[in-house]
Amino acid sequence: MSQNPANMSTKRLCGPGSSPESGDVILEPSSLKLREPRKRWRSAFIAIYFTRALRSLVREIIGNTTETVINVKGIDENVKEDRIFASVDRKKLIIMIKDKRLDHLHELGGAERIAAELISNPETGIRGDEEDLKSRRAAFGENKYHRPPPKSFLYFVVDSLKDLTIIILLVCASLSLAFGIKEEGPREGWYDGGSISIAVFMVVMVSAVTNFRQSRQFHELSKVSDNIQIDVVRNGRRQHISIFDIVVGDVVILQIGDQIPADGLFLDGHSLQIDESSMTGESEHIEINKESHPFLVSGGKVVDGYGRMLVISVGMNTAWGELMSSISHDNNELTPLQYRLSKLTSAIGKAGSLIAFFVLVVLLVRYFTGNTVDEKGNRQYIGKKTKVDDIMNGVVHIISVAVTIIVVAIPEGLPLAVTLTLAYSMKRMMADQAMVRRLSACETMGSATIICTDKTGTLTMNQMKVVKFTLGKEAILGNKVAVINPGIIELIHQGVALNTTASVYKADSSSEPEFSGSPTEKAILSWAVMELNMDMAKMKLSYEILHVETFNSQKKRSGALVRKKSTNTVHAHWKGAAEIILRMCSKYYDKSGAVKTLDEDDRKAVLHKIEDMASQALRCIAFAHLEVDHQTLTEEKLIFLGVVGLKDPCREGVKDAIDLCRRAKVKIKMITGDNILTAKAIALECGILESSTVTDSELVEGVQFRNFSYEDRMEKICQIKVMARSSPSDKLLMIKSLKEKGEVVGVTGDGTNDAPALKEANVGLAMGIQGTEVAKESSDIVIMDDNFKSVVSILKWGRCVYNNIQKFIQFQLTVNVAALIINLVAACSSGEVPLTAVQLLWVNLIMDTLGALALATDRPTDELMDKPPIGWTQPLITNVMWRNLSFQALYQVTVLLTLQFKGKSIFKVKELVKNTIIFNTFVLCQVFNEFNARKLEKKNVFQGIFRNRLFLWIVAATIILQVLMVELLRKFADTERLNWTQWAICVIIAALSWPLAWVVKCIPVPEKPFLDYLKRTRS
């Protein structure tokens, strides 16, 4: 297929049917006279080709399905294994799939011939050992695409420097530095400007480090979400592997909801339909077949049917790989809470800017009227006698103070706190088996009022086992299958082996069989193999499958039309929900093999047995059969074979989880496709239904629900606890109706047909194990272990996110209010602000970044489930928060203004020492207030404090840095050393905020938000 390096005309290796005119080497004895210059790998390839052909022939004759492994290295030790693919024209294969060129496919001999050239077998796949995989990756590449590199640390530094207030501060620092050096020389003159520059640098670096870490975390989470699991056949064995481990030549199993992992060719299957809208934008589904459309393009989704594909190209050789490599995975999503906080930040920022402007005007007026004095008591401005440099230096100092007030006033830490708490929550939720795909879902779950959950795999363990079997209308107890007519056993074998998407792998005759597929299919297959001695391989060889109707949750059944090769007879087989299959039957088999008419009494008897199984929480699957003389899969007048009852036990801890939801005022509704009696039994076992005397309003079937009038549905929907025999459209209708009632709905789903419901819900929760890729892509959160306990864990985290943000808002607004009032009053009264630009920047660093880290990383507790859901219309700042922050801010303002005006006389100290005490007290007040902010309502603020070690580390780091600022970095922070007595006074004043908080929390507050009273007063 590809030319050799010497550009000699080489001929392709083709099988029987190729023509000499095409330039192919015909692999027949007469055509094997190769010239001497032929390279030795040609001989190796021919030997392998004939060996595989011989193996296939032997397998067809004797029915042997085991894989023969050929030692390629045994032929020529000097040949590297990947050289065996040198005859493959890779470029032509890639173009064939991308451009969907049927002519190229025919030229290359079809899918089977290409499989042979790729050293793969359509039935058993590739060898799949390490050497084989290594050689394929070396020859064709890996199934990975080049991601755009994540943003570098430098990007976030530059981004932080773009902030207008930071730019103004840097300009002020530069001017102050220039004037200072000019006036006092380099040795002393750099302190003011240099201190501001260093403080700004610290703020920028901390912000950049935090944002960089969160960016990397989101990048890592996106890698996890892209790691899709795929079913392949290797060495005859069906395996579950990562999409990244797919190699060229792999045989991939495709089922409803799967994503196509690479570009490939259709091998076989039934009714396979693909949605390629993600690539082409066309919403119309494409029907895949071998004749007119055998091409499967990566990124597509299987919407119906079943099939197997041969992988032709992977990674960057696919159109999907090229597309994905150009898409950035940066998460720039603005969540609802971030949006609300940005509005709050804007409002506070405007108020702070007005105050800063007022302070600026007051200070400038005082300066130019000669009311501003220096440390020695001399007036700074004395008209024309003042040097221009001194004037500029004084004005720059005033501007820097005003700008710093704006920096402190604008709570830019609020959006940062949301990002931190969401990123932290996402990381922790991964440990709790939940992968967040959309950030807003974390918040929304905190407001969820109803969770609609599936039964199978979510409330139950999804470990199916056949525990009961009824043939016709007679129960077969224990291992008494020997009493059943062999002809009936043969029909059951047909119905199980030929109407399934599961498979059996047996390495050799002595090894235990391995079953692959869905839990239900595996359970039935295991029962047929182990109890009824079914030989899956023999059944596949003895019958030809003519047509298949795959199972879907709408019809709740699957069918297969098969032809028995030995007798040329055609049989229709159906399998599915027991009562649905029973309705399709007019006769039944008894254990002797006799066919009897299914009259009304017999039908009631069978139905009674089905209901008896269902009431024991068993899933009932029925089988029916009919020999036909046409090629149509008939659905009427079938002969009923029997019913199997599958037990799927409830998950441990589910009942406690549901009780916890009930305590949290969150309603649980179970929506299942199972029989109403099975649903009732499981709901009672799990605690969704609290009494066996269930009313009609609590338990309904899907058909009843969809047939309700709009008024009846809206009236009864809140009372419904279980909906059985529901279709995906019923689930969607349920969610839409609940949302109309004003509920915040979370819904679980696993199937492709659940996608609309997952998208419609406020929070879509897809199952990670049983969920299809379509369901996962439509969801907001993926439950990795399919366990309802994980859903409750997400509910807790959602409330925790909101609670952590409220803690930080209370903490930061206390600082904002206190700092602004202190600076405003001091500036207006004395013309000086007690806190310098550097000190204010340090406070800003404490409250914005370190405070956010400390308060936004608390883990959820069961206390959060003692409250009702957080309403979407509920204000961010509650009455409790207003009460707490008002008293704390009032206390800080009172104490610090007292120190401002009376501090020198009280402590008998100089101005600089007084200002240092004010600064130290103010910072320590924030440290102590961080403890108060941990609990908005509880008086014991230390409860569970050792569970959050990061909080303790941040508090310790803040105190250590504050000591350094006061005692060592005096020139930098414009402070003076304090003695032990002065330190003790600062600590005592700050510590008084603890008993104050305890007392304040005893004051009751009304439930109605304070802002509502203001609105009513205005109106």
Side-chain angles (χ1 to χ4, degrees):
M1 293 170 72
S2 58
Q3 292 186 340
N4 62 26
N7 295 321
M8 296 174 65
S9 60
T10 55
K11 297 185 178 183
R12 291 188 304 152
L13 299 169
C14 297
S18 299
S19 63
E21 291 86 300
S22 65
D24 298 333
V25 176
I26 309 301
L27 295 181
E28 294 177 357
S30 61
S31 63
L32 293 177
K33 296 176 181 179
L34 300 177
R35 289 176 292 175
E36 278 300 313
R38 292 287 186 187
K39 294 188 177 180
R40 296 174 69 186
W41 61 265
R42 291 266 186 200
S43 302
F45 183 79
I46 294 168
I48 291 166
Y49 182 86
F50 274 117
T51 307
R52 292 178 70 87
L54 183 62
R55 183 201 59 197
S56 299
L57 183 63
V58 170
R59 189 174 64 240
E60 277 202 26
I61 296 170
I62 65 174
N64 179 21
T65 60
T66 58
E67 178 79 31
T68 303
V69 179
I70 302 165
N71 184 3
V72 179
K73 291 189 175 182
I75 298 171
D76 188 347
E77 292 182 358
N78 298 319
V79 176
K80 291 183 179 179
E81 193 172 8
D82 62 323
R83 290 289 300 278
I84 206 164
F85 299 112
S87 65
V88 178
D89 190 341
R90 300 161 205 173
K91 188 174 181 181
K92 191 169 186 177
L93 288 177
I94 292 166
I95 292 171
M96 175 187 72
I97 300 293
K98 283 186 180 178
D99 296 344
K100 300 183 178 179
R101 297 287 298 272
L102 276 172
D103 55 334
H104 283 194
L105 180 60
H106 294 147
E107 281 178 30
L108 295 172
E112 286 75 14
R113 179 67 192 90
I114 293 172
E117 290 204 16
L118 295 174
I119 319 299
S120 181
N121 186 295
E123 295 298 323
T124 58
I126 61 174
R127 289 205 323 266
D129 56 60
E130 280 302 317
E131 289 187 7
D132 184 30
L133 296 176
K134 187 177 178 181
S135 67
R136 290 175 187 277
R137 290 190 182 110
F140 303 103
E142 294 185 279
N143 197 30
K144 295 177 181 177
Y145 53 84
H146 305 312
R147 292 169 172 266
K151 292 186 174 93
S152 66
F153 176 70
L154 184 62
Y155 170 87
F156 291 103
V157 172
V158 173
D159 191 56
S160 298
L161 287 169
K162 288 178 182 177
D163 187 272
L164 181 60
T165 53
I166 294 293
I167 293 170
I168 295 172
L169 281 172
L170 286 174
V171 170
C172 291
S174 301
L175 291 171
S176 179
L177 193 64
F179 291 129
I181 292 173
K182 186 177 179 182
E183 287 292 313
E184 303 176 34
R187 195 182 189 95
E188 298 289 332
W190 71 274
Y191 286 126
D192 286 345
S195 298
I196 295 174
S197 300
I198 293 169
V200 168
F201 174 77
M202 287 174 62
V203 171
V204 166
M205 291 305 291
V206 171
S207 176
V209 168
T210 305
N211 288 326
F212 176 69
R213 287 188 62 193
Q214 304 326 315
S215 172
R216 283 300 170 103
Q217 193 166 320
F218 289 132
H219 189 73
E220 290 302 315
L221 284 171
S222 73
K223 283 184 182 178
V224 175
S225 65
D226 290 343
N227 188 14
I228 299 165
Q229 296 298 303
I230 301 294
D231 278 352
V232 299
V233 177
R234 288 181 178 174
N235 201 21
R237 180 181 184 181
R238 186 163 166 175
Q239 302 175 28
H240 210 49
I241 67 170
S242 166
I243 190 172
F244 302 129
D245 295 332
I246 297 283
V247 295
V248 169
D250 260 324
V251 174
V252 178
I253 309 295
L254 296 174
Q255 300 183 74
I256 294 177
D258 285 349
Q259 176 175 313
I260 299 172
D263 287 358
L265 290 171
F266 178 70
L267 290 172
D268 56 51
H270 304 280
S271 310
L272 188 63
Q273 290 191 358
I274 305 296
D275 176 9
E276 291 186 358
S277 58
S278 58
M279 288 295 296
T280 63
E282 296 291 333
S283 58
E284 191 173 339
H285 299 156
I286 299 168
E287 188 159 344
I288 303 296
N289 54 61
K290 295 191 78 169
E291 292 74 31
S292 60
H293 204 296
F295 305 107
L296 292 157
V297 180
S298 59
K301 306 291 189 302
V302 181
V303 293
D304 199 7
Y306 167 87
R308 297 187 313 132
M309 69 172 274
L310 174 71
V311 175
I312 299 297
S313 50
V314 294
M316 292 303 295
N317 290 326
T318 66
W320 180 253
E322 291 174 4
L323 175 67
M324 293 304 290
S325 66
S326 64
I327 296 174
S328 171
H329 284 263
D330 293 321
N331 198 311
N332 297 317
E333 175 190 1
L334 193 66
T335 70
L337 186 54
Q338 283 176 321
Y339 178 73
R340 290 173 72 184
L341 283 174
S342 66
K343 290 176 69 177
L344 177 63
T345 301
S346 176
I348 296 171
K350 287 174 184 176
S353 299
L354 283 172
I355 291 173
F357 179 74
F358 185 73
V359 168
L360 175 66
V361 171
V362 169
L363 292 179
L364 285 173
V365 169
R366 289 183 65 90
Y367 178 81
F368 285 108
T369 55
N371 292 313
T372 305
V373 295
D374 59 18
E375 294 175 0
K376 297 176 182 178
N378 300 322
R379 285 197 302 168
Q380 291 185 350
Y381 181 79
I382 49 177
K384 294 179 180 180
K385 294 179 182 180
T386 311
K387 296 178 182 178
V388 175
D389 286 353
D390 290 340
I391 294 172
M392 290 299 294
N393 208 4
V395 170
V396 165
H397 173 72
I398 291 169
I399 292 172
S400 65
V401 170
V403 172
T404 307
I405 290 173
I406 295 175
V407 173
V408 175
I410 297 174
E412 64 267 22
L414 289 179
L416 174 64
V418 177
T419 306
L420 279 171
T421 192
L422 288 174
Y424 176 78
S425 301
M426 286 174 70
K427 186 177 179 181
R428 290 293 183 181
M429 285 165 77
M430 277 296 290
D432 287 347
Q433 302 299 318
M435 184 181 74
V436 179
R437 298 186 72 253
R438 290 183 181 87
L439 276 178
S440 57
C442 291
E443 303 165 11
T444 310
M445 276 303 283
S447 302
T449 56
I450 289 177
I451 295 176
C452 298
T453 176
D454 289 332
K455 175 187 78 69
T456 306
T458 309
L459 300 174
T460 61
M461 295 178 70
N462 213 8
Q463 295 176 359
M464 301 281 190
K465 184 180 179 182
V466 175
V467 294
K468 284 200 173 186
F469 173 48
T470 297
L471 179 67
K473 59 178 187 175
E474 185 177 350
I476 305 298
L477 303 174
N479 295 321
K480 296 181 179 179
V481 292
V483 301
I484 303 173
N485 183 284
I488 302 300
I489 295 289
E490 173 69 15
L491 290 176
I492 294 172
H493 285 178
Q494 289 178 28
V496 173
L498 307 174
N499 184 16
T500 185
T501 55
S503 62
V504 182
Y505 170 76
K506 203 170 182 181
D508 53 59
S509 57
S510 60
S511 62
E512 288 293 316
E514 296 178 16
F515 303 97
S516 303
S518 71
T520 303
E521 295 279 16
K522 284 195 294 184
I524 294 171
L525 212 54
S526 172
W527 167 72
V529 170
M530 308 304 286
E531 301 291 337
L532 303 183
N533 301 316
M534 184 184 78
D535 187 335
M536 186 80 164
K538 185 178 178 182
M539 295 299 296
K540 293 281 187 183
L541 288 171
S542 303
Y543 292 85
E544 177 190 358
I545 299 175
L546 304 174
H547 179 69
V548 170
E549 187 169 313
T550 53
F551 179 88
N552 66 56
S553 50
Q554 197 75 37
K555 293 184 176 181
K556 303 192 186 302
R557 63 180 189 267
S558 64
L561 191 69
V562 302
R563 182 179 66 83
K564 190 172 184 179
K565 293 177 181 177
S566 60
T567 61
N568 208 33
T569 53
V570 179
H571 303 262
H573 282 275
W574 285 93
K575 173 182 73 179
E579 65 270 30
I580 292 174
I581 296 295
L582 184 63
R583 284 200 294 267
M584 297 163 64
C585 299
S586 59
K587 297 176 182 178
Y588 71 96
Y589 288 106
D590 65 11
K591 63 183 180 183
S592 66
V595 178
K596 297 185 177 179
T597 302
L598 190 66
D599 59 28
E600 201 56 39
D601 290 337
D602 294 329
R603 192 179 296 276
K604 284 181 181 177
V606 175
L607 200 56
H608 177 73
K609 291 193 177 295
I610 292 170
E611 290 173 352
D612 183 53
M613 285 187 192
S615 64
Q616 298 172 49
L618 301 183
R619 170 174 281 187
C620 301
I621 305 294
F623 297 88
H625 158 265
L626 186 66
E627 186 175 328
V628 296
D629 55 3
H630 49 76
Q631 300 285 314
T632 306
L633 185 57
T634 184
E635 300 181 27
E636 297 177 344
K637 298 182 179 179
L638 304 175
I639 305 173
F640 189 74
L641 272 169
V643 184
V644 290
L646 293 90
K647 180 68 176 175
D648 186 13
C650 276
R651 286 185 182 273
E652 187 180 348
V654 161
K655 196 172 189 304
D656 292 337
I658 289 171
D659 287 342
L660 194 61
C661 287
R662 193 174 286 117
R663 196 175 94 197
K665 305 294 187 293
V666 177
K667 298 174 185 174
I668 306 297
K669 297 183 186 294
M670 186 173 84
I671 302 175
T672 177
D674 272 337
N675 182 294
I676 194 166
L677 294 173
T678 307
K680 179 183 176 182
I682 292 290
L684 285 167
E685 192 176 340
C686 292
I688 293 174
L689 294 174
E690 298 176 72
S691 170
S692 56
T693 55
V694 180
T695 62
D696 291 340
S697 61
E698 293 179 310
L699 184 63
V700 299
E701 285 191 326
V703 65
Q704 292 174 262
F705 182 74
R706 76 180 80 112
N707 289 331
F708 281 151
S709 66
Y710 176 80
E711 291 75 18
D712 285 347
R713 189 182 306 121
M714 298 306 286
E715 182 186 340
K716 297 176 180 178
I717 192 165
C718 288
Q719 298 170 17
I720 296 171
K721 293 183 177 179
V722 177
M723 184 161 69
R725 280 289 178 248
S726 65
S727 65
S729 58
D730 296 329
K731 182 187 278 190
L732 181 61
L733 182 60
M734 167 78 82
I735 292 157
K736 285 182 176 178
S737 302
L738 287 169
K739 286 177 73 178
E740 281 186 51
K741 292 279 285 185
E743 306 285 357
V744 180
V745 186
V747 63
T748 68
D750 55 11
T752 302
N753 290 331
D754 287 327
L758 289 167
K759 285 183 177 178
E760 179 66 30
N762 299 106
V763 181
L765 305 159
M767 300 296 107
I769 299 172
Q770 288 303 312
T772 63
E773 286 311 311
V774 173
K776 291 175 190 175
E777 286 203 358
S778 302
S779 69
D780 303 299
I781 299 173
V782 178
I783 311 298
M784 306 302 285
D785 60 354
D786 291 13
N787 193 338
F788 186 79
K789 285 175 72 176
S790 298
V791 177
V792 177
S793 176
I794 293 167
L795 193 65
K796 275 190 192 177
W797 274 111
R799 294 186 173 197
C800 183
V801 166
Y802 205 92
N803 188 248
N804 286 348
I805 297 302
Q806 286 186 314
K807 292 176 189 176
F808 181 68
I809 290 172
Q810 177 181 299
F811 170 71
Q812 185 162 51
L813 289 187
T814 304
V815 185
N816 287 134
V817 171
L820 287 174
I821 293 175
I822 291 164
N823 281 301
L824 177 64
V825 173
C828 293
S829 59
S830 65
E832 282 291 333
V833 288
L835 301 175
T836 67
V838 172
Q839 291 169 357
L840 284 171
L841 285 170
W842 169 235
V843 171
N844 184 69
L845 183 67
I846 292 172
M847 71 179 188
D848 273 2
T849 308
L850 299 180
L853 276 169
L855 294 170
T857 53
D858 260 347
R859 300 194 69 174
T861 61
D862 285 345
E863 297 169 12
L864 294 169
M865 304 298 276
D866 291 330
K867 302 175 184 177
I870 303 155
W872 279 12
T873 56
Q874 184 177 323
L876 273 175
I877 308 174
T878 62
N879 290 355
V880 168
M881 293 166 65
W882 279 120
R883 177 197 64 191
N884 296 344
L885 74 88
S886 298
F887 278 96
Q888 286 294 333
L890 181 63
Y891 170 70
Q892 290 181 23
V893 168
T894 303
V895 169
L896 296 176
L897 286 179
T898 302
L899 292 175
Q900 169 69 11
F901 296 113
K902 299 292 182 181
K904 286 173 70 175
S905 59
I906 292 172
F907 296 109
K908 305 292 189 293
V909 293
K910 296 177 183 178
E911 183 74 20
L912 186 58
V913 175
K914 180 205 75 174
N915 287 343
T916 303
I917 292 172
I918 292 173
F919 167 58
N920 200 33
T921 304
F922 185 60
V923 170
L924 291 176
C925 278
Q926 311 324 317
V927 172
F928 280 87
N929 196 36
E930 271 187 287
F931 288 86
N932 293 330
R934 288 189 68 249
K935 303 288 179 183
L936 297 178
E937 295 183 61
K938 288 211 166 192
K939 295 173 184 175
N940 182 6
V941 295
F942 304 106
Q943 184 181 353
I945 196 166
F946 293 106
R947 292 178 66 225
N948 189 351
R949 292 183 181 178
L950 182 60
F951 177 88
L952 296 174
W953 279 111
I954 287 171
V955 168
T958 305
I959 293 170
I960 291 168
L961 289 171
Q962 179 62 18
V963 172
L964 292 175
M965 289 279 283
V966 172
E967 297 296 323
L968 298 179
L969 304 175
R970 288 174 292 158
K971 290 285 188 181
F972 169 72
D974 198 16
T975 57
E976 188 61 59
R977 281 187 174 178
L978 302 179
N979 59 38
W980 287 104
T981 304
Q982 290 162 349
W983 268 102
I985 291 169
C986 294
V987 172
I988 290 168
I989 292 172
L992 285 173
S993 64
W994 282 352
L996 175 67
W998 193 92
V999 172
V1000 167
K1001 286 175 182 176
C1002 296
I1003 301 172
V1005 292
E1007 289 186 12
K1008 188 175 182 181
F1010 288 143
L1011 294 178
D1012 286 359
Y1013 291 106
L1014 293 174
K1015 289 175 185 176
R1016 190 173 63 181
T1017 304
R1018 287 177 185 174
S1019 60

